[in-house]
Amino acid sequence: MKSFTALLVTSAALLTYSHGYEFDQMLFDYVRFPSEIVRNLDGEVTADAVFAGIPTFAKLPWVQCLTKQRDIPFDIAFLGAPFDTGTSYRPGARFGPAGIRQGSRRLTLYGGYNVPLEVNPFKSGLRIVDCGDIPVVSYDNKHAIRQIEEGHKDLLQREAYLSLAHDHLTGRRLVPFSLDGKTHPRIITLGGDHTIVLPLLRSIHSVYGPISVIHFDSHLDTWMPSVFGGAPSEQAAINHGTYFYWATQEGLIRNGSSIASILCLSCFLALYFLADYDNDDASGFQRIEAREIDTIGTGGIIKKIRETVGDLPVYLSIDIDCIDPAFAPATGTPETGGWSTRELRTIIQGLDGLHIISADIVEVAPAYDTNAELTTMAAADVLFDVLSIMVKTPPGKM
Protein backbone atom coordinates (compact mmCIF):
# COMPACT_ATOMS: atom_id res chain seq x y z
CA MET A 1 0.00 0.00 0.00
CA LYS A 2 2.87 2.34 0.85
CA SER A 3 4.57 1.71 -2.49
CA PHE A 4 1.29 2.31 -4.30
CA THR A 5 0.82 5.62 -2.45
CA ALA A 6 4.39 6.62 -3.27
CA LEU A 7 3.75 5.88 -6.92
CA LEU A 8 0.69 8.13 -6.88
CA VAL A 9 2.64 10.92 -5.21
CA THR A 10 5.49 10.58 -7.71
CA SER A 11 3.06 10.62 -10.64
CA ALA A 12 1.28 13.67 -9.25
CA ALA A 13 4.60 15.44 -8.79
CA LEU A 14 5.60 14.71 -12.35
CA LEU A 15 2.31 15.98 -13.72
CA THR A 16 2.40 19.10 -11.56
CA TYR A 17 5.95 19.88 -12.57
CA SER A 18 5.27 19.35 -16.23
CA HIS A 19 2.03 21.34 -16.24
CA GLY A 20 3.81 24.30 -14.74
CA TYR A 21 6.70 24.05 -17.17
CA GLU A 22 6.33 22.61 -20.67
CA PHE A 23 4.19 19.50 -20.87
CA ASP A 24 0.65 18.63 -19.87
CA GLN A 25 1.82 15.06 -19.31
CA MET A 26 5.32 13.64 -19.04
CA LEU A 27 5.85 9.95 -19.79
CA PHE A 28 8.30 7.80 -17.86
CA ASP A 29 11.69 7.54 -19.61
CA TYR A 30 10.77 10.51 -21.78
CA VAL A 31 13.60 11.86 -23.95
CA ARG A 32 12.81 15.01 -25.90
CA PHE A 33 15.68 14.82 -28.38
CA PRO A 34 16.59 11.14 -28.78
CA SER A 35 19.86 10.49 -30.56
CA GLU A 36 18.51 7.29 -32.09
CA ILE A 37 15.19 5.74 -32.96
CA VAL A 38 13.57 3.20 -30.63
CA ARG A 39 15.53 -0.07 -30.30
CA ASN A 40 15.06 -3.18 -28.21
CA LEU A 41 17.50 -4.66 -25.69
CA ASP A 42 19.43 -6.38 -28.48
CA GLY A 43 19.92 -3.11 -30.30
CA GLU A 44 17.49 -3.95 -33.10
CA VAL A 45 14.98 -1.43 -34.37
CA THR A 46 11.56 -2.09 -32.87
CA ALA A 47 8.30 -2.04 -34.77
CA ASP A 48 6.88 0.83 -32.75
CA ALA A 49 9.54 3.07 -34.30
CA VAL A 50 7.64 2.71 -37.57
CA PHE A 51 3.88 2.32 -37.34
CA ALA A 52 3.05 3.21 -33.74
CA GLY A 53 2.79 6.58 -32.09
CA ILE A 54 1.87 10.03 -33.36
CA PRO A 55 3.39 10.56 -36.82
CA THR A 56 5.89 13.38 -37.04
CA PHE A 57 8.18 13.73 -40.03
CA ALA A 58 10.60 10.78 -39.87
CA LYS A 59 9.64 10.27 -36.21
CA LEU A 60 11.42 13.49 -35.27
CA PRO A 61 10.73 15.09 -31.88
CA TRP A 62 7.52 17.12 -31.89
CA VAL A 63 8.04 20.61 -30.51
CA GLN A 64 5.18 23.09 -30.17
CA CYS A 65 7.35 25.85 -31.61
CA LEU A 66 4.59 28.41 -32.07
CA THR A 67 3.07 28.13 -28.61
CA LYS A 68 4.23 26.93 -25.20
CA GLN A 69 7.56 25.46 -26.37
CA ARG A 70 8.66 28.47 -28.38
CA ASP A 71 11.70 28.86 -26.14
CA ILE A 72 13.28 25.63 -27.47
CA PRO A 73 15.86 26.48 -30.16
CA PHE A 74 16.44 24.33 -33.24
CA ASP A 75 18.50 24.26 -36.44
CA ILE A 76 16.07 22.76 -38.96
CA ALA A 77 12.31 22.46 -38.56
CA PHE A 78 9.55 20.79 -40.52
CA LEU A 79 6.43 22.95 -40.57
CA GLY A 80 3.00 22.20 -42.03
CA ALA A 81 0.91 24.73 -43.95
CA PRO A 82 -2.49 23.03 -44.45
CA PHE A 83 -3.92 25.46 -47.02
CA ASP A 84 -5.60 24.53 -50.31
CA THR A 85 -8.16 27.22 -51.11
CA GLY A 86 -5.96 28.70 -53.85
CA THR A 87 -6.29 25.65 -56.11
CA SER A 88 -7.76 25.77 -59.62
CA TYR A 89 -8.67 22.10 -60.06
CA ARG A 90 -8.68 19.40 -57.38
CA PRO A 91 -8.58 20.50 -53.72
CA GLY A 92 -7.22 18.36 -50.88
CA ALA A 93 -3.66 19.60 -50.30
CA ARG A 94 -4.70 20.83 -46.86
CA PHE A 95 -4.19 17.21 -45.85
CA GLY A 96 -0.73 17.20 -47.43
CA PRO A 97 1.25 17.81 -44.20
CA ALA A 98 -0.43 14.86 -42.48
CA GLY A 99 0.01 12.65 -45.54
CA ILE A 100 3.70 13.48 -45.96
CA ARG A 101 4.35 12.72 -42.30
CA GLN A 102 2.58 9.39 -42.74
CA GLY A 103 4.71 8.67 -45.79
CA SER A 104 7.90 9.45 -43.86
CA ARG A 105 7.46 6.86 -41.10
CA ARG A 106 10.03 4.45 -42.56
CA LEU A 107 12.80 6.98 -43.15
CA THR A 108 14.56 6.05 -39.92
CA LEU A 109 13.65 2.36 -39.88
CA TYR A 110 17.17 1.34 -40.85
CA GLY A 111 18.94 4.20 -39.12
CA GLY A 112 18.45 7.01 -41.62
CA TYR A 113 21.70 6.90 -43.60
CA ASN A 114 21.38 8.51 -47.04
CA VAL A 115 23.57 6.37 -49.29
CA PRO A 116 23.82 8.65 -52.39
CA LEU A 117 24.55 11.73 -50.27
CA GLU A 118 26.76 9.83 -47.81
CA VAL A 119 25.26 11.31 -44.66
CA ASN A 120 22.85 10.46 -41.88
CA PRO A 121 21.03 13.77 -41.34
CA PHE A 122 19.54 12.53 -38.08
CA LYS A 123 23.01 12.06 -36.58
CA SER A 124 24.52 15.28 -37.91
CA GLY A 125 24.66 17.02 -34.55
CA LEU A 126 22.03 19.54 -35.62
CA ARG A 127 18.79 19.82 -33.68
CA ILE A 128 16.06 18.84 -36.16
CA VAL A 129 12.42 18.96 -35.05
CA ASP A 130 8.86 18.82 -36.30
CA CYS A 131 7.01 21.98 -35.29
CA GLY A 132 3.57 20.72 -36.31
CA ASP A 133 1.28 22.90 -38.44
CA ILE A 134 0.60 26.60 -38.71
CA PRO A 135 -3.01 27.24 -37.62
CA VAL A 136 -4.68 28.22 -40.90
CA VAL A 137 -8.27 29.39 -41.27
CA SER A 138 -10.14 27.76 -44.15
CA TYR A 139 -12.72 30.51 -44.76
CA ASP A 140 -10.63 33.59 -45.52
CA ASN A 141 -7.68 33.37 -47.92
CA LYS A 142 -6.34 36.79 -47.08
CA HIS A 143 -6.22 35.98 -43.40
CA ALA A 144 -4.83 32.49 -44.02
CA ILE A 145 -1.98 33.83 -46.16
CA ARG A 146 -1.12 36.28 -43.41
CA GLN A 147 -1.18 33.44 -40.86
CA ILE A 148 1.27 31.42 -42.97
CA GLU A 149 3.62 34.37 -43.35
CA GLU A 150 3.57 35.24 -39.67
CA GLY A 151 3.92 31.62 -38.55
CA HIS A 152 6.90 30.98 -40.82
CA LYS A 153 8.47 34.32 -39.93
CA ASP A 154 8.06 33.61 -36.22
CA LEU A 155 10.31 30.57 -36.60
CA LEU A 156 12.71 31.89 -39.23
CA GLN A 157 13.59 35.11 -37.41
CA ARG A 158 14.79 33.23 -34.34
CA GLU A 159 18.43 32.31 -33.86
CA ALA A 160 19.44 28.73 -34.61
CA TYR A 161 20.42 26.28 -31.87
CA LEU A 162 23.97 26.07 -33.24
CA SER A 163 25.84 29.07 -34.62
CA LEU A 164 27.97 28.80 -37.75
CA ALA A 165 31.58 27.91 -37.04
CA HIS A 166 34.19 27.07 -39.65
CA ASP A 167 34.17 25.43 -43.06
CA HIS A 168 35.07 21.77 -42.61
CA LEU A 169 37.33 21.77 -45.69
CA THR A 170 39.27 25.02 -45.38
CA GLY A 171 38.85 25.80 -41.70
CA ARG A 172 37.89 29.38 -42.57
CA ARG A 173 35.25 31.21 -40.60
CA LEU A 174 31.75 31.11 -42.09
CA VAL A 175 29.61 34.24 -42.34
CA PRO A 176 25.81 33.78 -42.36
CA PHE A 177 23.88 34.83 -45.48
CA SER A 178 21.29 36.63 -43.37
CA LEU A 179 20.95 40.41 -43.44
CA ASP A 180 21.54 40.71 -39.69
CA GLY A 181 24.63 38.47 -39.70
CA LYS A 182 23.04 35.92 -37.37
CA THR A 183 22.53 32.20 -37.89
CA HIS A 184 18.84 31.50 -38.40
CA PRO A 185 17.14 28.11 -38.51
CA ARG A 186 16.10 26.58 -41.81
CA ILE A 187 12.46 25.68 -42.38
CA ILE A 188 11.13 22.88 -44.57
CA THR A 189 7.44 23.54 -45.20
CA LEU A 190 4.91 20.82 -45.96
CA GLY A 191 2.11 22.14 -48.17
CA GLY A 192 -0.54 22.97 -48.83
CA ASP A 193 -1.12 24.21 -52.35
CA HIS A 194 1.53 26.32 -54.07
CA THR A 195 -0.09 29.61 -53.05
CA ILE A 196 1.75 29.24 -49.74
CA VAL A 197 5.06 30.12 -51.39
CA LEU A 198 4.11 33.82 -51.62
CA PRO A 199 3.84 34.25 -47.82
CA LEU A 200 6.87 32.00 -47.36
CA LEU A 201 8.98 34.18 -49.66
CA ARG A 202 7.78 37.27 -47.82
CA SER A 203 9.09 35.65 -44.65
CA ILE A 204 12.38 34.67 -46.32
CA HIS A 205 12.79 38.26 -47.59
CA SER A 206 12.58 39.59 -44.03
CA VAL A 207 15.75 37.64 -43.13
CA TYR A 208 17.70 37.27 -46.39
CA GLY A 209 16.37 39.95 -48.75
CA PRO A 210 15.71 38.97 -52.40
CA ILE A 211 16.47 35.28 -52.85
CA SER A 212 17.26 32.97 -55.77
CA VAL A 213 14.69 30.26 -56.32
CA ILE A 214 14.92 26.75 -57.69
CA HIS A 215 11.43 25.78 -58.75
CA PHE A 216 10.37 22.25 -59.75
CA ASP A 217 6.89 22.23 -61.25
CA SER A 218 4.77 21.13 -64.19
CA HIS A 219 3.38 24.66 -64.53
CA LEU A 220 4.80 28.15 -64.91
CA ASP A 221 3.08 29.71 -61.87
CA THR A 222 4.08 33.18 -63.13
CA TRP A 223 0.75 33.87 -64.80
CA MET A 224 -0.72 37.32 -64.61
CA PRO A 225 -3.88 37.30 -62.47
CA SER A 226 -5.97 38.54 -65.39
CA VAL A 227 -4.97 35.39 -67.29
CA PHE A 228 -5.08 32.79 -64.51
CA GLY A 229 -8.40 33.02 -62.72
CA GLY A 230 -9.45 36.37 -64.16
CA ALA A 231 -8.87 38.22 -60.87
CA PRO A 232 -12.55 38.88 -60.05
CA SER A 233 -11.39 40.20 -56.68
CA GLU A 234 -8.17 41.34 -55.05
CA GLN A 235 -7.87 38.11 -53.11
CA ALA A 236 -8.77 35.83 -56.02
CA ALA A 237 -5.81 37.32 -57.88
CA ILE A 238 -3.50 35.44 -55.48
CA ASN A 239 -3.60 31.72 -56.14
CA HIS A 240 -1.42 28.73 -56.94
CA GLY A 241 -0.81 29.93 -60.49
CA THR A 242 0.07 33.57 -59.80
CA TYR A 243 2.14 33.60 -56.62
CA PHE A 244 5.48 33.95 -58.45
CA TYR A 245 4.06 36.83 -60.46
CA TRP A 246 3.30 38.62 -57.20
CA ALA A 247 6.63 37.60 -55.67
CA THR A 248 8.38 39.24 -58.62
CA GLN A 249 6.25 42.36 -58.34
CA GLU A 250 7.10 42.63 -54.65
CA GLY A 251 10.84 42.19 -55.25
CA LEU A 252 11.08 39.01 -53.21
CA ILE A 253 13.19 37.02 -55.68
CA ARG A 254 16.41 37.76 -57.51
CA ASN A 255 15.67 38.71 -61.09
CA GLY A 256 17.89 38.25 -64.12
CA SER A 257 20.96 36.02 -64.25
CA SER A 258 21.03 35.27 -60.54
CA ILE A 259 17.59 33.63 -60.42
CA ALA A 260 17.16 29.96 -61.15
CA SER A 261 13.61 28.85 -61.54
CA ILE A 262 13.94 25.38 -62.94
CA LEU A 263 10.68 24.26 -64.46
CA CYS A 264 10.17 20.59 -65.19
CA LEU A 265 7.49 21.20 -67.77
CA SER A 266 5.68 18.04 -68.72
CA CYS A 267 5.93 16.97 -72.34
CA PHE A 268 2.29 17.69 -73.01
CA LEU A 269 1.78 20.81 -70.91
CA ALA A 270 -0.90 23.17 -72.18
CA LEU A 271 -0.43 26.93 -71.96
CA TYR A 272 -3.01 29.68 -72.22
CA PHE A 273 -0.93 31.47 -74.85
CA LEU A 274 2.65 31.35 -76.09
CA ALA A 275 2.90 34.79 -74.51
CA ASP A 276 2.91 33.00 -71.15
CA TYR A 277 6.57 32.31 -71.84
CA ASP A 278 7.18 36.01 -72.39
CA ASN A 279 5.68 36.82 -69.01
CA ASP A 280 7.75 34.05 -67.43
CA ASP A 281 10.88 35.55 -69.00
CA ALA A 282 9.93 39.00 -67.75
CA SER A 283 9.69 37.57 -64.25
CA GLY A 284 13.35 36.53 -64.52
CA PHE A 285 12.85 32.80 -64.87
CA GLN A 286 14.91 30.31 -66.83
CA ARG A 287 13.29 27.05 -67.86
CA ILE A 288 14.23 23.42 -68.22
CA GLU A 289 11.58 21.19 -69.75
CA ALA A 290 10.97 17.65 -68.53
CA ARG A 291 11.59 16.20 -71.98
CA GLU A 292 15.15 17.57 -71.95
CA ILE A 293 16.02 14.65 -69.74
CA ASP A 294 15.84 12.50 -72.88
CA THR A 295 18.61 14.50 -74.56
CA ILE A 296 20.88 15.88 -71.83
CA GLY A 297 20.05 13.42 -69.05
CA THR A 298 19.90 14.12 -65.33
CA GLY A 299 23.54 15.22 -65.40
CA GLY A 300 22.81 17.92 -67.96
CA ILE A 301 19.87 19.22 -65.95
CA ILE A 302 21.93 19.31 -62.77
CA LYS A 303 24.67 21.20 -64.63
CA LYS A 304 22.21 23.86 -65.84
CA ILE A 305 20.84 24.38 -62.36
CA ARG A 306 24.24 24.66 -60.70
CA GLU A 307 25.57 27.04 -63.35
CA THR A 308 22.59 29.32 -62.84
CA VAL A 309 22.60 29.32 -59.04
CA GLY A 310 26.32 29.33 -58.35
CA ASP A 311 27.20 29.94 -54.71
CA LEU A 312 24.16 32.09 -53.96
CA PRO A 313 21.78 31.16 -51.15
CA VAL A 314 18.68 29.59 -52.66
CA TYR A 315 15.10 28.76 -51.78
CA LEU A 316 13.91 25.40 -53.09
CA SER A 317 10.24 24.91 -54.00
CA ILE A 318 9.06 21.50 -55.20
CA ASP A 319 5.60 20.86 -56.63
CA ILE A 320 4.93 17.12 -56.46
CA ASP A 321 3.21 17.34 -59.85
CA CYS A 322 6.60 17.52 -61.58
CA ILE A 323 6.66 13.77 -60.97
CA ASP A 324 4.62 11.86 -63.53
CA PRO A 325 1.21 10.78 -62.15
CA ALA A 326 2.23 7.18 -62.80
CA PHE A 327 4.50 7.61 -59.77
CA ALA A 328 2.72 10.38 -57.84
CA PRO A 329 -0.97 10.60 -58.72
CA ALA A 330 -2.12 12.41 -55.59
CA THR A 331 -1.95 16.04 -56.65
CA GLY A 332 -4.35 18.79 -57.60
CA THR A 333 -3.29 19.41 -61.21
CA PRO A 334 -1.58 16.28 -62.56
CA GLU A 335 0.27 16.41 -65.89
CA THR A 336 1.49 13.37 -67.83
CA GLY A 337 4.99 13.21 -69.25
CA GLY A 338 6.80 14.25 -66.09
CA TRP A 339 9.83 12.74 -64.40
CA SER A 340 9.95 9.53 -62.44
CA THR A 341 10.53 9.62 -58.70
CA ARG A 342 14.04 8.28 -59.21
CA GLU A 343 14.86 10.96 -61.79
CA LEU A 344 13.69 13.80 -59.55
CA ARG A 345 15.61 12.39 -56.58
CA THR A 346 18.75 12.03 -58.69
CA ILE A 347 18.48 15.67 -59.73
CA ILE A 348 17.83 16.82 -56.16
CA GLN A 349 20.83 14.80 -54.96
CA GLY A 350 22.87 16.53 -57.66
CA LEU A 351 22.28 19.83 -55.87
CA ASP A 352 24.54 18.67 -53.04
CA GLY A 353 26.67 21.59 -51.90
CA LEU A 354 24.17 24.33 -52.74
CA HIS A 355 23.22 26.72 -49.94
CA ILE A 356 19.55 25.86 -49.44
CA ILE A 357 18.32 28.23 -46.76
CA SER A 358 14.74 26.90 -46.72
CA ALA A 359 12.48 24.69 -48.83
CA ASP A 360 8.99 23.39 -49.37
CA ILE A 361 7.09 20.59 -51.07
CA VAL A 362 3.53 21.33 -52.11
CA GLU A 363 0.37 20.13 -53.86
CA VAL A 364 0.31 16.70 -52.19
CA ALA A 365 -3.38 15.77 -51.95
CA PRO A 366 -3.54 12.35 -50.23
CA ALA A 367 -7.20 11.70 -51.13
CA TYR A 368 -6.14 10.91 -54.70
CA ASP A 369 -3.29 8.60 -53.73
CA THR A 370 -3.15 4.83 -54.10
CA ASN A 371 -3.61 2.51 -51.16
CA ALA A 372 0.16 2.08 -51.22
CA GLU A 373 0.67 5.80 -50.46
CA LEU A 374 2.97 6.27 -53.47
CA THR A 375 2.75 10.06 -53.57
CA THR A 376 3.23 10.74 -49.88
CA MET A 377 6.20 8.36 -49.76
CA ALA A 378 7.72 10.09 -52.80
CA ALA A 379 7.29 13.50 -51.16
CA ALA A 380 8.85 12.30 -47.92
CA ASP A 381 11.81 10.70 -49.69
CA VAL A 382 12.47 13.86 -51.73
CA LEU A 383 12.53 15.87 -48.50
CA PHE A 384 14.90 13.32 -47.00
CA ASP A 385 17.34 14.28 -49.76
CA VAL A 386 16.72 17.99 -49.21
CA LEU A 387 17.35 17.59 -45.48
CA SER A 388 20.55 15.65 -46.17
CA ILE A 389 21.87 18.46 -48.38
CA MET A 390 21.01 21.02 -45.72
CA VAL A 391 22.92 19.30 -42.94
CA LYS A 392 25.98 18.94 -45.18
CA THR A 393 26.06 22.58 -46.34
CA PRO A 394 25.56 25.29 -43.71
CA PRO A 395 23.76 28.56 -44.59
CA GLY A 396 26.94 30.67 -44.70
CA LYS A 397 29.80 31.84 -46.87
CA MET A 398 33.54 32.24 -46.36
Side-chain angles (χ1 to χ4, degrees):
M1 183 66 181
K2 288 184 179 180
S3 60
F4 177 72
T5 304
L7 178 61
L8 287 178
V9 172
T10 303
S11 300
L14 278 172
L15 291 173
T16 302
Y17 169 77
S18 61
H19 181 75
Y21 185 55
E22 292 172 336
F23 301 98
D24 292 329
Q25 185 175 5
M26 183 180 294
L27 302 177
F28 290 106
D29 300 322
Y30 175 81
V31 180
R32 178 184 294 139
F33 301 110
S35 59
E36 295 186 355
I37 56 178
V38 180
R39 298 176 182 270
N40 63 20
L41 294 178
D42 297 324
E44 296 179 349
V45 177
T46 61
D48 60 7
V50 183
F51 56 77
I54 298 172
T56 60
F57 188 88
K59 306 296 285 185
L60 288 168
W62 174 45
V63 177
Q64 298 178 66
C65 310
L66 294 171
T67 53
K68 59 184 178 181
Q69 292 174 293
R70 58 184 302 112
D71 60 322
I72 298 177
F74 52 86
D75 297 300
I76 300 175
F78 287 85
L79 179 67
F83 172 94
D84 68 359
T85 47
T87 55
S88 57
Y89 190 44
R90 302 193 303 199
R94 68 180 63 183
F95 299 105
I100 296 168
R101 291 185 176 105
Q102 172 69 18
S104 73
R105 281 181 177 269
R106 293 181 65 253
L107 285 179
T108 51
L109 174 60
Y110 306 111
Y113 187 82
N114 191 317
V115 174
L117 289 169
E118 300 179 327
V119 68
N120 185 332
F122 307 108
K123 295 183 179 180
S124 62
L126 298 180
R127 179 174 286 180
I128 308 171
V129 303
D130 189 327
C131 287
D133 294 348
I134 301 172
V136 177
V137 67
S138 59
Y139 305 107
D140 186 333
N141 279 15
K142 183 177 182 179
H143 184 69
I145 289 173
R146 185 166 61 249
Q147 286 178 308
I148 294 169
E149 178 184 349
E150 294 303 320
H152 190 275
K153 189 183 296 182
D154 189 352
L155 302 187
L156 186 68
Q157 291 184 348
R158 303 177 188 179
E159 291 193 48
Y161 176 63
L162 296 176
S163 298
L164 287 181
H166 297 82
D167 179 69
H168 69 285
L169 294 177
T170 65
R172 296 174 61 184
R173 181 75 181 180
L174 291 172
V175 179
F177 287 112
S178 61
L179 298 176
D180 61 6
K182 297 179 181 179
T183 305
H184 294 271
R186 287 169 284 180
I187 315 297
I188 300 176
T189 306
L190 315 176
D193 76 53
H194 226 149
T195 311
I196 69 170
V197 170
L198 179 58
L200 298 185
L201 287 177
R202 288 170 175 168
S203 171
I204 294 292
H205 187 270
S206 72
V207 172
Y208 295 98
I211 194 74
S212 295
V213 176
I214 300 176
H215 174 212
F216 291 95
D217 205 314
S218 283
H219 309 91
L220 297 172
D221 292 357
T222 55
W223 280 290
M224 297 178 66
S226 59
V227 174
F228 196 92
S233 68
E234 179 180 347
Q235 193 52 49
I238 301 175
N239 56 61
H240 75 160
T242 64
Y243 61 92
F244 269 136
Y245 168 83
W246 290 113
T248 301
Q249 296 297 309
E250 295 179 18
L252 305 180
I253 56 181
R254 287 181 181 269
N255 207 329
S257 61
S258 62
I259 177 71
S261 181
I262 309 304
L263 192 69
C264 56
L265 290 170
S266 294
C267 298
F268 305 106
L269 175 67
L271 299 175
Y272 285 95
F273 313 100
L274 281 177
D276 292 343
Y277 282 150
D278 296 332
N279 188 63
D280 196 58
D281 293 339
S283 297
F285 288 80
Q286 301 182 40
R287 292 181 296 277
I288 297 176
E289 296 193 6
R291 56 191 173 188
E292 292 186 50
I293 202 169
D294 299 325
T295 55
I296 65 175
T298 56
I301 291 172
I302 293 167
K303 183 174 183 290
K304 282 191 173 184
I305 297 174
R306 299 187 72 96
E307 287 177 348
T308 305
V309 173
D311 293 327
L312 293 169
V314 297
Y315 182 84
L316 176 60
S317 184
I318 305 169
D319 189 326
I320 199 67
D321 70 17
C322 72
I323 300 178
D324 191 277
F327 305 96
T331 188
T333 48
E335 303 285 355
T336 62
W339 293 336
S340 69
T341 306
R342 182 179 65 183
E343 289 166 343
L344 176 61
R345 291 194 66 187
T346 297
I347 293 168
I348 295 292
Q349 291 160 7
L351 305 184
D352 186 20
L354 295 187
H355 300 283
I356 301 174
I357 49 91
S358 277
D360 67 70
I361 196 161
V362 297
E363 299 287 354
V364 175
Y368 312 110
D369 214 351
T370 68
N371 290 338
E373 302 175 334
L374 294 181
T375 311
T376 55
M377 284 195 299
D381 288 347
V382 167
L383 291 184
F384 176 53
D385 291 331
V386 173
L387 175 65
S388 297
I389 293 171
M390 281 185 169
V391 301
K392 291 180 67 177
T393 308
K397 57 187 175 181
M398 290 183 286

